[in-house]
Amino acid sequence: MKESSKNLFYSFLITLSTIPILSENVIAQDQFDENIVELDSTIYETDKNSLFPLPVVYYTPESGLFYGASILYNFFTERKKPIIASQIQLAAGYTTKNQTLIFLPFQIYWDQNKWRSIGELGFYNYAYPFYGIGNNGQPDQFSTYRAIFPRARIFLLKQTIPNLFIGGRYWFENYDIIEWDNTGSFQQEDYSGGLYNRTSGIGPALIYDTRDGVYYPREGHYLESYTEFNHSVTGSTHNYGTVSLDYAYYKSITDKTVLASNAFVVNNFGDVPFNRLAQLGGNKKMRGYFQGYFQDKNLLLGQLEIRQELFWRFGLAVFGSAGQTAANWGDYGMGRWNYAGGAGLRFVFDKTKHINVRLDYAVGKESSGFYIAFNEAF
């Protein structure tokens, strides 16, 4: 795992070297937009749509050399205020071991912010390390497998009272495991859904949102919660359910300093496929560990981050997290916490909407990682 993180450092350097060039293209995009006419800025949103390209190149032993690109498009579905800028990101890549990633996260706002849809569409043909199930992942105990699957995650919500949005969530994933290295630490047949699984779940969702900005909030609360039911009736091969609660709080300490905090709780019940367990790790939920390094039916996570604007378009962030997973709620304990922390560079692509690209490095116990992504982790 350390070797993968070391090799990912090249991705960090290559991306960093492209920022000054790409920023000029972004500025040019902001200055020229033929679709915008002269409007009364007190009534209509006059900020321009913007398009940001970002190349990515890295190497890991599991994937080989990865090369791809990500394009972020910010736009307004309408111009009458109040309206939040919508966002669509298209990312795609290919590796020298014939692996493919294509995914499209999105946030769409319309009808003067009364409606919102958030989610992701994607197709993956990729190799993943599997560190087993439990709260004690070890860097030298894993098996590598390769899966091909499409994925859809869609929220659709409508504002019912100020700041409260009620609606539903749909999840779909057709998870076909085409390779599994049984010479590793874990055997494929020992895990539910280890040969193949299809999850198709639906349920109610709500969002409570008082943030003063979507992409770089300085003040406010954000709560996202949903219940998801997977059953043969909904098209799933496994019968199980999920309850998730994700809360963030933001507070400006100074004009250029923001304190951000995040609490994340997941509870699964029923016959949960191994790839749909509650997972810690990745570029959002406990940076410093591979996603799924710790996984089980339940998880608790707390994160804290200080975001500091520096000069021109640059900023810094320092962050830490503590989390644990458990088979049952009664298994949680004070001596079970896992910790990670790190720091990163921020570059503001769009100064008006304050949309960042972040370059983070984080360290956990016997683990570390570099992360490159648009927008903040939470």
Side-chain angles (χ1 to χ4, degrees):
M1 196 164 180
K2 285 185 176 179
E3 181 66 21
S4 298
S5 298
K6 180 180 177 181
N7 291 321
L8 283 172
F9 180 64
Y10 294 106
S11 177
F12 182 96
L13 293 179
I14 291 170
T15 303
L16 183 61
S17 68
T18 65
I19 283 177
I21 299 172
L22 292 177
S23 66
E24 297 303 321
N25 294 332
V26 171
I27 294 170
Q29 176 72 21
D30 284 342
Q31 289 175 341
F32 301 100
D33 190 338
E34 295 179 356
N35 295 324
I36 304 300
V37 297
E38 292 297 327
L39 298 172
D40 183 348
S41 61
T42 62
I43 301 174
Y44 298 98
E45 178 57 65
T46 58
D47 188 23
K48 309 296 191 296
N49 297 341
S50 52
L51 185 70
F52 312 133
L54 182 68
V56 178
V57 179
Y58 66 80
Y59 174 86
T60 67
E62 295 85 8
S63 69
L65 180 66
F66 176 96
Y67 47 93
S70 181
I71 300 174
L72 188 71
Y73 181 50
N74 296 281
F75 63 99
F76 294 94
T77 58
E78 58 188 288
R79 288 287 168 176
K80 190 172 182 181
K81 291 183 176 180
I83 188 66
I84 298 170
S86 296
Q87 185 179 95
I88 295 176
Q89 178 185 352
L90 175 61
Y94 184 77
T95 80
T96 53
K97 294 188 177 181
N98 299 319
Q99 299 171 20
T100 305
L101 295 175
I102 304 171
F103 54 96
L104 193 149
F106 59 87
Q107 301 181 52
I108 311 295
Y109 304 90
W110 70 97
D111 193 14
Q112 293 185 285
N113 300 331
K114 294 183 179 68
W115 286 88
R116 61 177 62 186
S117 182
I118 302 168
E120 177 186 330
L121 305 175
F123 175 81
Y124 303 81
N125 176 354
Y126 208 68
Y128 300 90
F130 175 63
Y131 292 93
I133 297 174
N135 194 52
N136 298 299
Q138 300 295 324
D140 58 348
Q141 296 182 17
F142 66 94
S143 291
T144 300
Y145 72 91
R146 183 169 171 174
I148 297 178
F149 58 98
R151 173 186 291 166
R153 174 177 56 87
I154 302 171
F155 284 87
L156 178 62
L157 307 107
K158 186 180 188 302
Q159 181 174 274
T160 55
I161 60 175
N163 307 121
L164 181 63
F165 299 81
I166 303 292
R169 179 185 190 269
Y170 177 69
W171 167 276
F172 175 83
E173 196 173 74
N174 192 69
Y175 212 74
D176 189 6
I177 296 89
I178 59 173
E179 296 176 9
W180 187 295
D181 180 11
N182 281 311
T183 64
S185 304
F186 306 100
Q187 304 303 302
Q188 182 176 15
E189 61 273 11
D190 292 341
Y191 297 94
S192 181
L195 296 173
Y196 166 81
N197 66 81
R198 182 181 63 254
T199 52
S200 177
I202 193 168
L206 70 84
I207 288 178
Y208 178 72
D209 189 357
T210 67
R211 295 172 298 173
D212 59 353
V214 170
Y215 303 111
Y216 192 84
R218 301 174 186 273
E219 298 280 350
H221 304 263
Y222 180 81
L223 172 65
E224 177 184 298
S225 184
Y226 67 85
T227 301
E228 176 189 308
F229 299 100
N230 288 264
H231 194 274
S232 57
V233 174
T234 63
S236 179
T237 57
H238 290 62
N239 298 334
Y240 73 98
T242 303
V243 179
S244 173
L245 188 150
D246 197 351
Y247 170 73
Y249 174 67
Y250 307 91
K251 179 66 178 178
S252 289
I253 301 174
T254 71
D255 289 344
K256 294 189 175 182
T257 307
V258 175
L259 177 64
S261 56
N262 174 227
F264 184 47
V265 181
V266 178
N267 170 238
N268 286 294
F269 50 91
D271 182 16
V272 188
F274 80 101
N275 55 296
R276 290 288 285 133
L277 293 166
Q279 298 180 338
L280 291 176
N283 74 347
K284 292 184 177 181
K285 301 300 185 186
M286 205 170 192
R287 286 159 285 179
Y289 296 99
F290 190 89
Q291 184 173 345
Y293 191 72
F294 306 110
Q295 61 180 346
D296 215 316
K297 282 192 170 183
N298 307 285
L299 73 74
L300 294 174
L301 172 66
Q303 301 189 98
L304 193 66
E305 181 164 311
I306 297 176
R307 301 167 182 168
Q308 177 66 51
E309 297 176 53
L310 297 177
F311 59 90
W312 194 49
R313 294 171 180 255
F314 287 100
L316 288 174
V318 179
F319 50 87
S321 58
Q324 58 179 293
T325 62
N328 302 289
W329 279 91
D331 295 335
Y332 288 128
M334 291 303 298
R336 292 169 51 87
W337 292 104
N338 298 293
Y339 301 95
L345 176 68
R346 300 294 183 268
F347 184 84
V348 183
F349 268 113
D350 188 319
K351 295 177 71 174
T352 303
K353 306 177 190 71
H354 203 131
I355 297 174
N356 288 343
V357 60
R358 56 185 172 93
L359 309 174
D360 290 335
Y361 177 69
V363 177
K365 182 181 179 181
E366 299 182 284
S367 176
S368 62
F370 277 98
Y371 307 92
I372 303 171
F374 287 114
N375 301 322
E376 298 297 335
F378 59 89

